[in-house]
Amino acid sequence: MKALEERILKDGKVYPGNILKVDSFLNHQIDIKLMDEMAEAFYEKYKDAGINKIMTIEASGIAIAYAVGRVFGVPMVFAKKSKSLNIGGDVYSSTITSYTYKKDYKIILSKNFLSEKDNVLIVDDFLATGSAMKGLLEICRMAGAKVSGVGICIEKGFQKGGKEITEMGYDLTSLAVVEEMTDDGKIKFRN
């Protein structure tokens, strides 16, 4: 998606450790117009897939999942990284490792919100090593839900996540695929 790539080049910042900081428009402060354009791109790709639920993980994926859910006109649900007192005990859970925070999380989702009746589009802001996505896919498998697609705003193509998700047989759509980032801030996209 050209508009997203241009915005990454304009406002994205490369940090040591292959960190791409896009918090000025994607996952701290949100550019609503760009978010809506990305949601429309996912809708165009999956509009005929029979999607009835959008899924993501807290916290950075919530904005794009909301925008996609609004365009599809279906509910969105997100896996939580901690269990609160009001969620109850009947949950699906999986363990993921955050690339950015270098920390393991047990993600959970109430069984009330995902079942074998659901046809899911999973979306997230980033895909790097694929741990979070594999956790969400595991929760869908536990629920018996069908996953018709995986939509990613920014994929780090030089890391293994995208390749592994595709090799697992899932339809992966990444709106911008970063092939290379250098310490001096240069970013190269997949053509």
Side-chain angles (χ1 to χ4, degrees):
M1 182 178 173
K2 196 71 173 158
L4 178 57
E5 290 177 0
E6 289 171 358
R7 190 63 182 269
I8 293 167
L9 291 174
K10 179 178 177 264
D11 294 325
K13 295 183 178 28
V14 177
Y15 285 29
N18 288 320
I19 302 296
L20 177 58
K21 194 167 177 78
V22 291
D23 62 346
S24 68
F25 62 92
L26 183 61
N27 56 20
H28 196 90
Q29 175 173 273
I30 308 294
D31 180 325
I32 300 301
K33 183 177 182 291
L34 181 61
M35 191 67 63
D36 286 345
E37 290 173 19
M38 291 187 295
E40 288 289 341
F42 289 131
Y43 178 76
E44 283 304 311
K45 170 70 189 261
Y46 295 105
K47 66 184 175 188
D48 297 324
I51 303 294
N52 71 340
K53 191 150 298 177
I54 308 301
M55 182 180 189
T56 196
I57 189 168
E58 76 174 348
S60 296
I62 292 174
I64 188 62
Y66 168 81
V68 174
R70 188 179 49 75
V71 173
F72 274 85
V74 301
M76 62 81 68
V77 63
F78 62 92
K80 295 185 174 205
K81 292 182 182 172
S82 61
K83 187 173 180 182
S84 60
L85 292 175
N86 63 353
I87 200 167
D90 210 11
V91 298
Y92 302 112
S93 69
S94 183
T95 301
I96 65 160
T97 302
S98 168
Y99 177 80
T100 308
Y101 292 102
K102 308 286 188 229
K103 181 177 175 180
D104 287 343
Y105 292 95
K106 185 174 187 174
I107 60 170
I108 60 169
L109 179 68
S110 171
K111 289 184 177 181
N112 293 328
F113 304 127
L114 193 66
S115 74
E116 68 280 348
K117 296 176 185 171
D118 289 314
N119 184 2
V120 179
L121 172 60
I122 301 175
V123 297
D124 206 358
D125 62 338
F126 270 96
L127 177 62
T129 64
S131 181
M133 192 54 57
K134 289 176 190 170
L136 293 173
L137 290 165
E138 174 69 8
I139 286 174
C140 287
R141 187 198 61 74
M142 287 183 224
K146 177 182 178 184
V147 176
S148 286
V150 174
I152 300 297
C153 297
I154 303 171
E155 177 188 340
K156 293 180 179 177
F158 56 89
Q159 291 182 298
K160 65 182 182 175
K163 183 175 187 255
E164 290 180 352
I165 298 302
T166 302
E167 287 175 351
M168 292 169 69
Y170 293 99
D171 182 16
L172 173 65
T173 300
S174 299
L175 300 180
V177 181
V178 176
E179 282 295 345
E180 184 180 345
M181 297 187 310
T182 60
D183 288 339
D184 63 354
K186 302 260 190 296
I187 300 169
K188 180 181 174 186
F189 295 101
R190 183 182 296 164
N191 293 330

